[in-house]
Amino acid sequence: LAGAAAHGAAMSVRVFAPAKVNLTLQVGAPRADGLHPLQSVAAFADVGEFVEAAPGDVISLRIDGPMAAGLKAREDNLVLRAARALAEAAGVKQGAALTLCKHMPVASGIGGGSSDAAATLRALNQLWRLDWPAAQLMEVARPLGADAPVCVAARAAYMTGAGETHITLAAPRFDAVLVNPGKPLATGDVYRRFDAMGLGAGFREAPAPNWATRDAALSAMAAIGNDLEAPARALVPEIGAVAERLRDPRVRYAALSGSGATMFAITDTAAAAVSLAQEIAAARPDWWVRAVVIGAGA
């Protein structure tokens, strides 16, 4: 979702950066280039962050929002990297005053940084009146991280390669709860633990699934799971406490998203998701808890 708002003679553009949830994640042992082959069904939720772009003399970044304290506007911030990459690719000389409204925990396995980078590209595409198609923005996103291209379209997709390639997928919508125990978890650390545990030998390439119904999707999720859950739990034992809390009759299926430490729990109804989220948040105010719709076409 994107919108432009008038500020005097200038315009600012505000773009939603939705959370990316890995509903399945299979990971293989590292390839010769050191990257891990993977295949994952990823979908996007109706919770996330916002990137605002306004005219500016130079490219700058300000971070605000409830989770701003966990992130600094350093030179390596993905929002700044995305802005500079697009300026270089498009030959743009003007700047932009960027604001990231941070609502999700840092390093939480739900694509925050990648989605922010993708939202930055979409915002500046409007601000700078480039009118580039999504495919062209995805090429700019590619060097920013394996998750960045899929976040440009923000539609359910089957990710392959090392995550950098994907095809759009038809997937049902799911009412769900996202729960993060408040512990950042670096993706690189999880993959190093994955390797140390000798995992990934059973990885086999598979075609994109056909999730015609919710029940078919839930069965497939349960059969596939997330290969990074064991190493993530070894690094952040609190994930186990979240998993235990999600053992609830309202939950049809629960698993880790990406490299964690956020877990998702799918329920049958929105009311069930809301009531479960409220109960968990009341019991654990130190956790980040949200009732969401996954596959909302954010």
Side-chain angles (χ1 to χ4, degrees):
L1 299 177
H7 290 286
M11 295 288 287
S12 71
V13 179
R14 195 168 191 251
V15 174
F16 182 52
K20 177 184 68 65
V21 180
N22 294 92
L23 298 173
T24 67
L25 180 55
Q26 295 165 286
V27 179
R31 308 181 307 202
D33 62 4
L35 298 176
H36 293 74
L38 64 83
Q39 45 206 15
S40 173
V41 175
F44 291 83
D46 60 351
V47 67
E49 304 175 336
F50 288 91
V51 174
E52 186 167 330
D57 295 329
V58 297
I59 292 173
S60 64
L61 173 62
R62 182 174 67 89
I63 302 174
D64 64 18
M67 292 290 181
L71 194 63
K72 304 296 181 209
R74 296 186 310 218
E75 291 301 302
D76 62 349
N77 184 282
L78 276 170
V79 169
L80 285 173
R81 287 177 55 199
R84 291 181 180 134
L86 183 60
E88 183 177 352
V92 169
K93 302 301 181 192
Q94 64 199 96
L98 297 163
T99 302
L100 168 61
C101 192
K102 185 77 182 155
H103 285 274
M104 299 191 297
V106 174
S108 55
I110 46 178
S114 295
S115 194
D116 294 341
T120 302
L121 296 178
R122 285 159 45 214
L124 292 176
N125 191 38
Q126 290 186 61
L127 184 75
W128 291 339
R129 301 177 187 224
L130 301 177
D131 295 321
W132 282 17
Q136 202 168 356
L137 294 177
M138 285 179 192
E139 287 305 311
V140 178
R142 206 171 293 282
L144 300 172
D147 284 353
V150 76
C151 291
V152 171
R155 295 289 184 271
Y158 189 56
M159 301 173 67
T160 53
E164 78 284 358
T165 56
H166 68 273
I167 58 170
T168 303
L169 196 69
R173 290 162 55 106
F174 301 100
D175 294 300
V177 179
L178 299 181
V179 184
N180 182 281
K183 300 285 184 182
L185 185 53
T187 300
D189 291 346
V190 177
Y191 274 108
R192 279 186 283 276
R193 180 57 66 98
F194 178 89
D195 293 341
M197 294 170 74
L199 301 175
F203 180 84
R204 299 289 181 272
E205 289 186 8
N210 176 19
W211 286 1
T213 66
R214 260 181 111 256
D215 285 343
L218 287 163
S219 295
M221 285 184 224
I224 296 169
N226 179 344
D227 288 347
L228 294 183
E229 188 157 333
R233 283 195 188 213
L235 292 167
V236 176
E238 290 87 347
I239 294 171
V242 174
E244 194 59 38
R245 188 61 187 79
L246 293 176
R247 291 182 189 277
D248 184 283
R250 287 164 290 189
V251 174
R252 291 287 305 277
Y253 177 71
L256 193 72
S257 174
S259 57
T262 303
M263 294 197 73
F264 67 93
I266 293 173
T267 60
D268 278 327
T269 65
V274 169
S275 65
L276 179 60
Q278 289 173 339
E279 289 169 22
I280 296 173
R284 294 301 305 253
D286 53 324
W287 290 358
W288 180 85
V289 185
R290 296 290 184 276
V292 301
V293 176
I294 298 174

